[in-house]
Amino acid sequence: MTDVLFPLEGKRIWVAGHRGMVGSAVVRRLGTEGCEILTADRESLDLVDQAAVSGWLQHAKPEAMVIAAALVGGIHANNSRPAEFIWNNLTIQTNLIHAAHEAGVGKLLFLGSSCIYPKLAPQPVPESALLGGPLEPTNQWYSIAKIAGIMMCQAYRRQYGCDFISAQPTNLYGPGDNFDLESSHVLPALLRKFHEAKAAGDPSVTLWGTGTPLREFLHVDDLADALVFLLKTYSGEIQVNVGSGQEVSIRELAEMIAGVVDYYPEIEFDRSKPDGTPRKILDSTMLTKLGWNNARPLRAGIEDSDRWYREHIAKT
Ligand code: GFB
């Protein structure tokens, strides 16, 4: 049993970005911790407005915060909208971290991304690989912002003694995912493509790239469980990797999704689209040693995402 350093029961916790896939999963998971969850709608608080963020925090005075607010997207969105990705993410996280310090927030959890690591990092990627080499060009703008967020947490911890921590999730999927084919990540994109092909009776489905890149996938509710665990038990500078250990090639993922959707068209490849980084599986030994190792099997996770897609997206 891991020691609880920061009990959540009775605490006021702000989940910034509570409408997103990660934020809503964190809210669901915190629901069982006996804490008071604070949220702020986009209409009432614009996170890129520094004065507004500062004012909101001074007024609400949460005891803890989870920064799940970010502009996120798949490989094409990152590659084609670099300015939006770097500006929104740098601005939102800088406003939140600095204002949290000013408001005396006792614990803050910042979320990075597995793309913070060098393109050719050793695999599985340990936390120590940070800043060890050039980044993957398709998402370097987003990565630089996320790296800055991690280093801000470290800087505020060192200079002001703030208990600000960060975690690095691997590729995520689950309820509340983005299923827009232009801006989504691969897993929701393929669920949609296979369902639409099945409905139309199409003989083939087209994937981007070569299908050979390897990716590790984690269900967002498992991430939320790990984040709550880290909030309660972890206090340190190092950004803790949160992976599932389950790695598949994009082609294997497509075959697994074909099985879930129960439709088996030809799989074709559009090689004009980028592959991105060839492999990125996180070394989650640190998290396991801290005491969390609870990711569900990928097939079960995809079935859950598929259910959510059929209930929320396919019906509309
Ligand atoms: O999930 P994804 O967009 O992002 O793509 P990354 C993963 C792989 O799936 C790439 C291939 O090799 C894509 O070319 N792929 C095949 C597809 N078919 C499709 C498709 O229909 N849609 C999409 N989206 N991909 C992201 C970063 O990288 O990972 C973000 O861009 C973030 O910054 C995220 O870090 C975790 O895994 O390549």
Side-chain angles (χ1 to χ4, degrees):
M1 188 70 184
T2 316
D3 287 347
V4 172
L5 307 175
F6 188 85
L8 298 180
E9 197 170 349
K11 294 255 170 45
R12 291 159 53 75
I13 305 184
W14 181 23
V15 181
H18 70 288
R19 291 211 187 278
M21 176 173 77
V22 171
S24 52
V26 171
V27 168
R28 279 196 295 281
R29 178 60 186 79
L30 283 175
T32 61
E33 291 292 321
C35 51
E36 185 188 343
I37 302 168
L38 311 183
T39 58
D41 283 332
R42 197 177 284 245
E43 302 73 47
S44 61
L45 178 62
D46 183 356
L47 297 177
V48 300
D49 180 338
Q50 185 182 13
V53 169
S54 176
W56 196 89
L57 268 161
Q58 290 293 339
H59 175 74
K61 291 242 174 276
E63 291 157 290
M65 257 170 83
V66 177
I67 303 185
L71 177 65
V72 298
I75 193 165
H76 178 65
N78 271 270
N79 204 19
S80 55
R81 293 158 49 202
E84 285 174 61
F85 274 83
I86 195 162
W87 181 75
N88 279 284
N89 288 304
L90 276 177
T91 308
I92 290 170
Q93 73 202 27
T94 303
N95 289 348
L96 288 168
I97 294 169
H98 184 70
H101 155 60
E102 286 183 328
V105 172
K107 184 105 198 178
L108 178 147
L109 172 56
F110 174 71
L111 277 167
S113 160
S114 56
C115 68
I116 60 162
Y117 292 116
K119 178 181 172 105
L120 300 176
Q123 304 284 330
V125 193
E127 285 85 358
S128 58
L130 187 64
L131 294 172
L135 299 164
E136 155 60 32
T138 54
N139 55 34
Q140 58 185 325
W141 322 97
Y142 176 73
S143 312
I144 287 285
K146 288 292 185 183
I147 292 169
I150 293 162
M151 299 208 62
M152 255 187 101
C153 290
Q154 293 176 348
Y156 280 63
R157 170 178 288 276
R158 282 197 193 180
Q159 187 172 345
Y160 304 128
C162 299
D163 192 359
F164 293 178
I165 59 172
S166 46
Q168 302 325 296
T170 196
N171 282 36
L172 301 169
Y173 68 94
D177 217 335
N178 170 17
F179 285 86
D180 173 74
L181 292 180
E182 279 290 298
S183 58
S184 66
H185 289 100
V186 62
L187 198 153
L190 296 191
L191 266 174
R192 179 174 205 142
K193 285 181 178 180
F194 277 84
H195 270 294
E196 290 184 351
K198 183 177 182 180
D202 289 343
S204 66
V205 157
T206 303
L207 271 55
W208 295 352
T210 61
T212 57
L214 297 166
R215 291 291 184 274
E216 177 190 31
F217 293 98
L218 178 71
H219 190 285
V220 72
D221 285 330
D222 296 339
L223 171 74
D225 193 52
L227 296 181
V228 167
F229 170 81
L230 287 172
L231 268 178
K232 291 198 284 195
T233 64
Y234 179 66
S235 177
E237 261 195 11
I238 298 173
Q239 74 291 347
V240 183
N241 286 346
V242 184
S244 64
Q246 300 175 66
E247 184 184 41
V248 289
S249 72
I250 299 303
R251 178 187 270 281
E252 286 165 337
L253 176 72
E255 287 164 358
M256 202 178 268
I257 288 177
V260 171
V261 175
D262 194 22
Y263 189 63
Y264 303 89
E266 279 297 309
I267 296 177
E268 294 178 349
F269 295 95
D270 175 357
R271 289 165 200 267
S272 70
K273 297 283 197 309
D275 267 344
T277 198
R279 187 178 184 205
K280 66 177 165 178
I281 179 169
L282 295 179
D283 179 346
S284 302
T285 309
M286 181 174 175
L287 179 64
T288 308
K289 283 192 177 151
L290 285 166
W292 192 91
N293 179 11
N294 206 15
R296 75 196 66 191
L298 180 56
R299 167 85 192 210
I302 295 175
E303 284 168 7
D304 187 55
S305 238
D306 179 64
R307 215 171 6 257
W308 195 89
Y309 172 80
R310 284 184 283 107
E311 285 168 9
H312 296 86
I313 307 287
K315 273 188 181 163
T316 58

